[in-house]
Amino acid sequence: MNILFLMRILLIILTGIIFCIHGLSAQTYEDLIKKSYEYADVNDLPAAEEALKAAMRLEPANKFNFALLTNLGTIQRRQGKPDDALLSYTAALSQRPKDELILINRAELYTEMNEMGKAISDYNTLIIHYPTHEQGLYNRGLLYINTGEFLLAQADFELIVDTYKDTFLGRFGYAILEKARGNYDESEIIFNYLTDNYPDNMRVLEERAELYFLTKRNARAMADLNKVFKATAVPSAELYMLRGRVKLAQYEKESAAVDFKKARDLGYDPETVEKLLKESF
């Protein structure tokens, strides 16, 4: 009797384990999509990824799989799996080659992977199909600045400003472009206009702080940075690097070193950080 009872308990446990292992496959396509959102909402990204894969295995020919592949790519990207994300976005584009969201997602991923030429190529495709796409033109303009192609960047920002009367992105892009060109007075005029009209936009303050640093107005740079750090929940490595440089210019070497180390911990180029740390001691 005891043996039968124990065997029954063991069977129940094994059934539970099997259900947990194969639980996703027992659900419908729609159930799995819903589950992926629920997992993503609680930041269980591996589970969200598996739910999306299970949905596509269940219905590999479903016409909406391009959307699932796009979501899958974004979830993989958030997990720090760029190669997997690239495969997912590319598979999605094979189904919807003109989809603006997928093109932007893959272009942004290429940018994160430092594949600027491939990112620009995706934006070119996007803009062929959507000639006045504001976000696409802005993003491509920033990449042109990064590659030193200032006239091409200017053309993109001009098109935005001509098309969208009250555009923030077009003006912000112009301010960044003029700063990159060394036209600091023109850049500052635009940044001041933007801070007056968009006082809660911390990205503008961060860029203006760098402008102040480049023009050796470090007290003003620090004032902008203090506002940005106060309003930013998770400051970026670039933000810590900029504040560290400003502090170093103000001879606050120990405090600068703390910021440089924080930037390194967040993934900033270690070689660059080490050079600045040597200047801090």
Side-chain angles (χ1 to χ4, degrees):
M1 185 72 174
N2 287 338
I3 294 174
L4 289 173
F5 177 76
L6 290 173
M7 289 180 65
R8 187 171 183 179
I9 294 296
L10 180 60
L11 181 61
I12 291 170
I13 293 171
L14 287 172
T15 302
I17 292 171
I18 292 168
F19 178 78
C20 289
I21 293 172
H22 299 287
L24 289 177
S25 64
Q27 300 177 68
T28 68
Y29 183 84
E30 291 76 14
D31 288 338
L32 290 165
I33 295 172
K34 183 179 177 182
K35 276 290 181 185
S36 74
Y37 284 117
E38 290 173 356
Y39 288 135
D41 286 343
V42 296
N43 210 35
D44 189 349
L45 299 182
E49 179 179 359
E50 288 307 313
L52 288 172
K53 288 179 178 178
M56 288 184 283
R57 283 195 298 268
L58 193 64
E59 296 190 22
N62 193 296
K63 65 180 181 179
F64 295 112
N65 279 349
F66 76 91
L68 271 61
L69 284 164
T70 305
N71 288 346
L72 178 61
T74 300
I75 286 169
Q76 290 165 333
R77 188 170 153 198
R78 287 172 60 188
Q79 292 180 86
K81 299 158 68 174
D83 292 333
D84 290 344
L86 181 57
L87 288 173
S88 297
Y89 287 146
T90 302
L93 279 171
S94 71
Q95 298 180 28
R96 296 282 288 260
K98 299 179 183 179
D99 191 287
E100 56 187 298
L101 176 61
I102 308 171
L103 282 165
I104 288 176
N105 277 328
R106 193 173 72 170
E108 289 178 346
L109 177 62
Y110 275 136
T111 302
E112 292 167 9
M113 298 171 73
N114 206 32
E115 297 274 5
M116 302 305 176
K118 291 179 180 179
I120 289 173
S121 179
D122 272 353
Y123 287 125
N124 289 343
T125 301
L126 174 71
I127 292 162
I128 286 171
H129 298 298
Y130 309 93
T132 58
H133 195 287
E134 186 178 15
Q135 189 69 53
L137 288 165
Y138 170 76
N139 289 359
R140 189 175 70 173
L142 292 184
L143 289 177
Y144 282 144
I145 293 173
N146 185 274
T147 58
E149 299 173 275
F150 294 154
L151 289 177
L152 292 175
Q154 179 176 327
D156 279 348
F157 299 140
E158 280 182 353
L159 181 54
I160 296 173
V161 172
D162 290 344
T163 306
Y164 305 98
K165 180 181 177 182
D166 297 320
T167 177
F168 166 82
L169 291 179
R171 291 183 175 85
F172 188 44
Y174 249 121
I176 296 171
L177 172 61
E178 296 302 349
K179 182 176 65 172
R181 282 170 160 168
N183 298 329
Y184 297 138
D185 290 341
E186 291 85 345
S187 180
E188 185 176 355
I189 288 170
I190 303 171
F191 280 135
N192 288 342
Y193 168 84
L194 292 173
T195 53
D196 287 343
N197 287 274
Y198 304 91
D200 297 326
N201 192 304
M202 296 299 107
R203 186 81 175 91
V204 176
L205 287 178
E206 182 180 348
E207 289 289 341
R208 189 175 70 173
E210 185 186 44
L211 173 65
Y212 285 146
F213 169 67
L214 292 171
T215 53
K216 302 185 187 304
R217 290 176 286 174
N218 294 309
R220 290 191 179 189
M222 191 56 72
D224 276 353
L225 287 171
N226 286 339
K227 292 177 184 176
V228 175
F229 270 89
K230 186 176 181 181
T232 305
V234 184
S236 66
E238 289 75 16
L239 199 52
Y240 278 107
M241 282 298 291
L242 177 56
R243 190 173 70 174
R245 286 190 170 105
V246 174
K247 288 178 178 178
L248 190 59
Q250 293 179 316
Y251 302 101
E252 300 174 21
K253 294 187 175 183
E254 290 185 7
S255 185
V258 172
D259 277 351
F260 293 145
K261 290 176 182 176
K262 182 65 176 177
R264 182 183 58 195
D265 293 343
L266 290 172
Y268 204 90
D269 176 51
E271 188 176 340
T272 303
V273 173
E274 287 304 316
K275 289 179 182 177
L276 288 168
L277 282 173
K278 288 179 182 177
E279 296 179 34
S280 304
F281 296 103

